Amino acid sequence: MTRIVIMGGGPAGYEAALVAAQHGADVTIVERDGLGGACVLYDCVPSKTFIASSGALAKMHDLGELGINTDMADTSIDLPTVHGRVKGLALAQSADIRARVQREGVRVIAGEARFCDEEPGLATHKVAVTTKDGTEKLPADVVLIATGATPRVLPGAVPDGERILDWRQLYELQELPEHLAVIGSGVTGAEFASAYTEMGVKVTVVSSRDRVLPHEDADAAAVLEEVFSQRGTTVAKQARADRVERTEKGVEIHLADGRVIEASHALMTVGSVPNTKDIGLDKVGIELGPGGFITVDRVSRTSVPGIYAAGDCTGVLMLASVASMQGRIAMWHALGEGVAPIKLKTVAANVFTHPEIATVGISQQAIDSGEVPARTIMLPLATNARAKMEGLRRGFVKLFCRPATGVVVGGVVVAPQASELILPIALAVQNQLTVDHLALTFSVYPSLSGSITEAGRQLMRHDDLD
């Protein structure tokens, strides 16, 4: 029986464990904090639960148009209840995952793991597991490193849990910030800026670039900036933060160009660093790549036989869905099953702002630069019958296809439930479907998804079908 040790119980780790157990392996997961890892306990699940509360408020802004009278001035937020729900759901999800893997016969150890091979190049590896009861050494035929990542800390802005915060510390606040400065305009920064904006907090986004979401679709980012402007949120552009200082009333953010932004709280969203230190990689001969990440191939192999890595510690694409797939692929490969290498161009991703922004496949930037030839269509939601009924004016559906064949190569959806609407486009990209496949598929009328089939119809050309 193949002995497998998994270092980390996040999405990469527990999904890998399920696959390995179902294929008859002897599987042990070593996780310090709880099954689900940081994704479930501190990051993705808590943040999206928090965003769900803000989403309920976002829906209220346009209810007057639908004939429903609301007074936003009387709306109050019980922050301890919101945060209690966030923490409770995270713990419940972690418990569900633990119960599932244990039903499959996986051994779960609460502790920290590190390699303790006596010399590099051994066929069988050893993992030392430190728990509150001592240290145990586990022999392993296969090891999966799935140790995740933690929030990056800037030397001049070290979080103190009171006024200078990382995104894991927000849920300890007893009151909403009077003025929140979000430092960083990537996905995490934009999501929290959007959530606090909908909760009525004065928000300033500090962006080192010329827009929010610099790595996302520019048209989608423009929609979000329009919402921010309407709601009173300020975006400070070309503003690189040098340091954050505590004051009597809050914080001062000192920018590289000499500007100073005052706020009651500062939220640091400047990326993550991999948890790859002090896990004994030198004992097995693994050298870290740029940024401290572990280099892997498309089936999650490291440079050392029998050792795989998956998830945020690899820096491949820091999404829970990608981590899970990397972990599954690693186990299928290690256990000799047929496996297709991971294809990052088919990964669907979502920014949980209000509205949401979902993408898959080739980007608009790649098309505009001439890197990828494609025909494109962009349909505003304002032209969609269902959107009109619900009072939705902002958002759109984009679809990209190959010029000659009509094969769908990407798309963007900006809408209240973009994370759900992107699936048919992702299916098309994954399975190399054409725009005529979309065009000839029945969609419900009226529905937001009808814009996807309509985009397919508008991209159809007779020579696509010849």
Side-chain angles (χ1 to χ4, degrees):
M1 182 181 292
T2 304
R3 298 166 299 180
I4 296 176
V5 174
I6 298 174
M7 302 166 67
Y14 73 75
E15 289 288 353
L18 291 172
V19 168
Q22 289 163 2
H23 285 80
D26 177 9
V27 188
T28 300
I29 292 180
V30 183
E31 167 58 44
R32 179 183 58 194
D33 297 323
L35 266 291
C39 171
V40 169
L41 292 169
Y42 309 120
D43 297 340
C44 185
V45 169
S47 66
K48 281 30 171 197
T49 305
F50 182 79
I51 288 166
S53 292
S54 70
L57 288 169
K59 293 176 183 177
M60 296 178 64
H61 286 289
D62 300 319
L63 289 180
E65 181 181 336
L66 304 183
I68 300 173
N69 297 318
T70 59
D71 185 356
M72 293 295 291
D74 290 339
T75 302
S76 61
I77 297 169
D78 185 344
L79 197 62
T81 298
V82 172
H83 287 171
R85 182 171 181 269
V86 166
K87 296 173 185 177
L89 283 176
L91 291 173
Q93 180 70 4
S94 177
D96 287 346
I97 295 168
R98 184 184 185 90
R100 170 76 192 284
V101 299
Q102 288 182 328
R103 281 198 305 271
E104 297 293 335
V106 175
R107 181 188 180 194
V108 179
I109 301 177
E112 296 184 352
R114 67 189 312 275
F115 288 101
C116 60
D117 289 18
E118 296 177 359
E119 59 181 88
L122 298 176
T124 300
H125 301 287
K126 288 186 178 180
V127 177
V129 179
T130 303
T131 69
K132 62 180 181 179
D133 299 320
T135 300
E136 178 183 359
K137 292 185 178 180
L138 303 176
D141 303 304
V142 175
V143 179
L144 174 68
I145 306 169
T147 49
T150 53
R152 183 185 301 279
V153 176
L154 298 181
V158 178
D160 58 19
E162 296 177 353
R163 294 287 181 172
I164 305 173
L165 308 159
D166 65 33
W167 61 82
R168 296 180 179 180
Q169 297 170 329
L170 286 170
Y171 313 114
E172 302 304 321
L173 294 179
Q174 296 301 305
E175 297 179 347
L176 286 172
E178 181 181 342
H179 179 188
L180 179 66
V182 179
I183 300 173
S185 60
V187 172
T188 302
E191 288 182 344
F192 279 111
S194 178
Y196 279 100
T197 293
E198 298 302 339
M199 287 185 170
V201 173
K202 180 181 179 181
V203 176
T204 298
V205 179
V206 181
S207 174
S208 62
R209 311 295 278 274
D210 60 354
R211 64 178 174 90
V212 298
L213 297 172
H215 302 296
E216 301 295 325
D217 184 86
D219 292 322
V223 172
L224 184 59
E225 286 193 9
E226 182 184 350
V227 173
F228 280 169
S229 178
Q230 184 186 38
R231 301 280 195 264
T233 287
T234 301
V235 180
K237 301 180 180 181
Q238 302 288 359
R240 185 174 295 277
D242 264 354
R243 67 186 190 278
V244 180
E245 296 180 351
R246 287 281 300 264
T247 65
E248 289 185 6
K249 297 182 179 180
V251 295
E252 288 182 347
I253 297 97
H254 294 261
L255 306 182
D257 60 9
R259 286 179 288 170
V260 177
I261 297 174
E262 296 183 353
S264 64
H265 296 75
L267 172 60
M268 307 302 299
T269 62
V270 290
S272 300
V273 293
N275 299 325
T276 52
K277 292 183 178 179
D278 302 322
I279 59 172
L281 295 180
D282 57 319
K283 296 288 187 180
V284 291
I286 293 179
E287 295 184 2
L288 295 174
F293 293 99
I294 299 172
T295 301
V296 294
D297 64 12
R298 292 175 61 201
V299 292
S300 304
R301 288 179 297 190
T302 69
S303 59
V304 177
I307 300 179
Y308 295 73
D312 289 357
C313 66
T314 68
V316 170
L317 222 172
M318 295 175 117
L319 296 172
S321 58
V322 173
S324 299
M325 187 60 74
Q326 282 183 290
R328 296 186 200 106
I329 287 174
M331 293 300 100
W332 284 323
H333 186 272
L335 296 170
E337 298 294 320
V339 59
I342 194 167
K343 295 194 295 184
L344 296 180
K345 288 183 179 179
T346 66
V347 174
N350 194 70
V351 185
F352 289 85
T353 47
H354 305 294
E356 294 179 1
I357 299 168
T359 56
V360 67
I362 300 300
S363 68
Q364 180 77 64
Q365 182 180 4
I367 296 169
D368 292 344
S369 68
E371 178 185 345
V372 178
R375 289 190 282 120
T376 71
I377 189 73
M378 176 172 165
L379 299 181
L381 279 191
T383 65
N384 178 287
R386 181 66 176 270
K388 292 176 182 177
M389 295 170 190
E390 297 187 5
L392 304 177
R393 292 188 176 84
R394 297 187 184 89
F396 57 81
V397 170
K398 277 188 187 181
L399 200 62
F400 312 136
C401 73
R402 294 289 185 192
T405 63
V407 170
V408 178
V409 293
V412 182
V413 179
V414 179
Q417 295 294 328
S419 53
E420 307 295 340
L421 290 169
I422 198 66
L423 181 60
I425 302 178
L427 280 169
V429 172
Q430 174 73 32
N431 296 286
Q432 297 185 311
L433 303 182
T434 63
V435 290
D436 57 299
H437 285 120
L438 290 178
L440 298 174
T441 298
F442 284 97
S443 60
V444 172
Y445 183 86
S447 67
L448 297 184
S449 59
S451 287
I452 297 173
T453 56
E454 174 62 22
R457 284 190 289 274
Q458 293 200 25
L459 281 176
M460 284 181 71
R461 292 193 335 195
H462 289 299
D463 58 355
D464 289 342
L465 307 178
D466 291 343

